[in-house]
C-alpha cells in the first residue's frame, strides 16, 4: 500500500479575518495524497487552488488546520524551517518560468541551490537533467534564446535538482501554446511514472485532465469533487 505523503486536516486560509469582507480562500480542507500520485487541482479563478498549492508547498502558512508533509507537521514552522523542508522535499514549476535572464540554462538550474551552499558538485546533475529533458544543445543558452517550452523544461530541471519527493506545478502550461503545453504535461507524466515523483498540478485547463491520475475540483475554497482517472 502506498504511503501518505501529504495530509491536510481542516486546512483553512482566511483573509480580512473578522471583517465584513472576510475571504475564505481555503475552508477546512481535508485531503490525503499518496506517494506517486499525479494530481490536478482545478477550479475557476478565485476558487482557492493556488492558495492551497502554496500551503502544500510551504510557501504560505494556514490560518488554521494542519499540513503534514512526509510525516512532518509543517503548519507551525517558522520561515527558516519551512525553507529547509522546501529544499529537501519539494520542487517547484511556475507559469512564468522564473528564470534569471542574464545567466545560462545550466546556471539557472544550479543557482537554486546556491543560497544553501549546495550548488557545488551539482553541475553534473544539472547537465544530466537538461539532457534528459531534450536541452543538451541549449545548456549554455540564456533564457532570451529559448522558446517558451524550452524555458519550462529548464524550470523543470531546476525543480529536479534537489531530488524532490514532490513537484508542485502552478499553471505550468499557462503561457504556452496548446502543442507545447501538451509536450510539457506529457513530460510531467513521464517523470511521475519513471521517477515515481508525486506531482500536484494546479490548472484551469480542462484539456490537461486526461493526463493526470486524479482530479480535485475546488469551488469557493472547498473541495467539491475528488475523482480518479482510469488508466
Amino acid at each position: 500500500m502506498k504511503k501518505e505523503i501529504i495530509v491536510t486536516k481542516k486546512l483553512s486560509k482566511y483573509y480580512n479575518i473578522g471583517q465584513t469582507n472576510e475571504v475564505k480562500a481555503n475552508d477546512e480542507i481535508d485531503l490525503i495524497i499518496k506517494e506517486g500520485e499525479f494530481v490536478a487541482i482545478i477550479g475557476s479563478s478565485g476558487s482557492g487552488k493556488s492558495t492551497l498549492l502554496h500551503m502544500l508547498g510551504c510557501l504560505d502558512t494556514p490560518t488554521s488546520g494542519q499540513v503534514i508533509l512526509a510525516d512532518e507537521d509543517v503548519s507551525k514552522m517558522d520561515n527558516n524551517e519551512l525553507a529547509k523542508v522546501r529544499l529537501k522535499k519539494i520542487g517547484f514549476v511556475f507559469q512564468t518560468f522564473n528564470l534569471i535572464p542574464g545567466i545560462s540554462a545550466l546556471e539557472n538550474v544550479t543557482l537554486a541551490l546556491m543560497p544553501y551552499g549546495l550548488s557545488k558538485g551539482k553541475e553534473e546533475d544539472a547537465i544530466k537533467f537538461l539532457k534528459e529533458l531534450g536541452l543538451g544543445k541549449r545548456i549554455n543558452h540564456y533564457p532570451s534564446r529559448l522558446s517558451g517550452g524550452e524555458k519550462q523544461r529548464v524550470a523543470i530541471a531546476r525543480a529536479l535538482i534537489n531530488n524532490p519527493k514532490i513537484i508542485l506545478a502552478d499553471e505550468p502550461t499557462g503561457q504556452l501554446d496548446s502543442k507545447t503545453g501538451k509536450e510539457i504535461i506529457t513530460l510531467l507524466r513521464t517523470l511521475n511514472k519513471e521517477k515515481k515523483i508525486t506531482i500536484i498540478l494546479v490548472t484551469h485547463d480542462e484539456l490537461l485532465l486526461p493526463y493526470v491520475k486524479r482530479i480535485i475540483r475546488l469551488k469557493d475554497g472547498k473541495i467539491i469533487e475528488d475523482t480518479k482517472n482510469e488508466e
Side-chain angles (χ1 to χ4, degrees):
M1 184 174 288
K2 290 183 178 178
K3 187 178 178 182
E4 296 170 355
I5 195 164
I6 294 176
V7 178
T8 73
K9 298 179 180 179
K10 296 192 178 300
L11 183 65
S12 299
K13 184 69 176 183
Y14 299 165
Y15 298 97
N16 305 326
I17 298 168
Q19 299 180 26
T20 54
N21 61 338
E22 182 178 87
V23 176
K24 296 181 178 180
N26 291 146
D27 192 17
E28 297 197 343
I29 288 179
D30 293 321
L31 178 63
I32 294 173
I33 295 174
K34 295 187 176 181
E35 286 183 337
E37 285 201 271
F38 189 3
V39 181
I41 299 174
I42 192 162
S44 60
S45 178
S47 62
K49 56 188 187 296
S50 289
T51 302
L52 177 58
L53 195 78
H54 289 170
M55 288 193 287
L56 298 183
C58 302
L59 294 170
D60 200 359
T61 54
T63 303
S64 60
Q66 289 178 285
V67 179
I68 300 165
L69 187 68
D71 297 324
E72 272 192 290
D73 188 344
V74 301
S75 314
K76 307 299 181 186
M77 287 184 176
D78 62 29
N79 288 336
N80 288 335
E81 291 171 320
L82 291 173
K84 289 177 182 176
V85 172
R86 291 195 299 268
L87 175 67
K88 292 178 180 177
K89 297 178 180 177
I90 306 171
F92 295 93
V93 179
F94 299 100
Q95 177 179 353
T96 52
F97 319 128
N98 289 4
L99 301 182
I100 298 172
I103 62 176
S104 68
L106 176 60
E107 290 167 321
N108 264 285
V109 174
T110 57
L111 194 66
L113 299 176
M114 196 171 286
Y116 309 97
L118 298 176
S119 57
K120 230 175 185 180
K122 279 289 184 178
E123 188 170 299
E124 287 185 9
D125 287 345
I127 291 170
K128 181 188 77 169
F129 288 133
L130 288 167
K131 285 181 176 178
E132 286 178 357
L133 298 174
L135 294 172
K137 296 181 179 180
R138 298 286 190 269
I139 286 172
N140 295 312
H141 286 204
Y142 288 0
S144 60
R145 296 184 61 197
L146 301 175
S147 68
E150 288 170 340
K151 289 177 185 176
Q152 197 60 290
R153 287 170 186 265
V154 173
I156 292 169
R158 182 183 57 198
L160 292 171
I161 194 65
N162 61 338
N163 296 310
K165 296 177 180 291
I166 302 162
I167 287 180
L168 301 180
D170 193 354
E171 299 279 6
T173 64
Q175 292 202 11
L176 305 175
D177 61 74
S178 57
K179 179 178 179 293
T180 308
K182 184 177 177 180
E183 290 171 358
I184 293 300
I185 192 69
T186 302
L187 174 57
L188 291 172
R189 180 175 172 138
T190 300
L191 290 172
N192 170 253
K193 284 186 173 183
E194 294 183 357
K195 294 184 181 291
K196 310 301 181 188
I197 300 172
T198 305
I199 297 179
I200 303 169
L201 165 79
V202 157
T203 185
H204 68 279
D205 188 352
E206 302 269 346
L207 295 176
L208 301 184
L209 300 188
Y211 295 87
V212 306
K213 297 176 182 176
R214 181 179 171 193
I215 302 163
I216 295 169
R217 195 176 296 272
L218 294 188
K219 183 179 180 181
D220 299 330
K222 291 181 177 288
I223 294 174
I224 61 168
E225 185 181 340
D226 187 346
T227 57
K228 290 189 176 180
N229 267 348
E230 295 293 333
E231 283 291 333

